Amino acid sequence: MKPVAAEFLGTFWLVLGGCGSAVLAAAFPHVGIGLLGVSLAFGLTVLTMAYAIGHISGCHLNPAVTIGLWAGGRFPASGVLSYIVAQVLGAIAGAAVLYVIVSGQAGFELSAGFASNGYGEHSPGGYSMMAALVCEAVMTGFFLFVIMGATDSRAPAALAPVAIGLCLTLIHLVSIPVTNTSVNPARSTGVALFVGDWAIGQLWLFWVAPIVGAILGALAYRLVAAEQK
């Protein structure tokens, strides 16, 4: 149960830190951190937790990562469901704490989005469903490619969290305007449950696209990184 508990706490931190930066600090008067700051915050949540719990659970924090690592031959099928349940519950708990904090401000409204992911009229830049689908799948695919490479036994192990955290930062820099960046079904689910309505209606895309992309990215790494015999 220790790895499962670690995944719960790690995903809690990712949602509270990443989504919290978007909701609380992105546009704070005069000193807002903006898109750059939110992107860095998400990367830092993974970087810090990778060092904290990587040796306990592998620090997946993401159902798509867990499924991708299974597809890539790095994680047993027997652990997939328990990891995903822990990640989703951790994301919901993180979103709950964030809600308690932000609702303490007069005038707060969930209709502002609460860092939810969306497409069409709910995309920050007004991008279509197809654009969102492609973006989420491709970004998650390369995320898994980097994770597989950084954690390869032939790579320098001490730097893996840095590479993975910076990769997630880069992903957010590119895709926040498109979908508000998910690449993580648990992260999307946690905040969507509080927003309800359209966020729940569009949640399917932020499960399907990241999972498909993660599987493809992991398989691609297995193909290009296989040692010659």
Side-chain angles (χ1 to χ4, degrees):
M1 291 301 295
K2 290 181 180 179
V4 173
E7 285 296 304
F8 173 90
L9 293 171
T11 313
F12 175 99
W13 181 236
L14 183 143
V15 171
L16 183 60
C19 295
S21 71
V23 174
L24 295 168
F28 188 76
H30 311 302
V31 291
I33 62 174
L35 183 150
L36 293 175
V38 173
S39 299
L40 183 60
F42 271 100
L44 288 173
T45 61
V46 171
L47 173 61
T48 52
M49 272 297 157
Y51 281 116
I53 66 170
H55 57 289
I56 301 172
S57 69
C59 191
H60 298 186
L61 316 185
N62 183 338
V65 170
T66 297
I67 293 172
L69 291 176
W70 163 76
R74 298 279 189 87
F75 192 71
S78 60
V80 170
L81 181 59
S82 60
Y83 264 44
I84 291 176
V85 171
Q87 291 155 1
V88 172
L89 291 178
I92 294 171
V97 171
L98 180 59
Y99 176 77
V100 171
I101 295 170
V102 299
S103 61
Q105 182 185 50
F108 167 73
E109 294 182 1
L110 281 171
S111 59
F114 199 50
S116 289
N117 303 112
Y119 54 84
E121 64 177 312
H122 301 293
S123 157
Y127 287 85
S128 68
M129 181 182 72
M130 181 57 68
L133 190 69
V134 171
C135 182
E136 287 289 324
V138 172
M139 292 297 166
T140 314
F142 275 94
F143 191 36
L144 260 293
F145 193 89
V146 170
I147 291 172
M148 293 278 289
T151 56
D152 194 302
S153 60
R154 295 166 287 177
L159 295 178
V162 177
I164 295 167
L166 289 177
C167 181
L168 188 60
T169 298
L170 174 59
I171 287 170
H172 278 77
L173 288 172
V174 174
S175 60
I176 282 178
V178 183
T179 62
N180 216 18
T181 309
S182 171
V183 301
N184 184 336
R187 168 261 190 270
S188 297
T189 301
V191 292
L193 290 179
F194 285 84
V195 176
D197 194 25
W198 65 266
I200 296 294
Q202 296 190 354
L203 185 59
W204 67 271
L205 186 145
F206 302 103
W207 275 87
V208 173
I211 289 174
V212 171
I215 292 172
L216 293 177
L219 294 178
Y221 184 80
R222 291 185 70 173
L223 178 65
V224 303
E227 294 188 21
Q228 297 289 336
K229 294 184 178 180

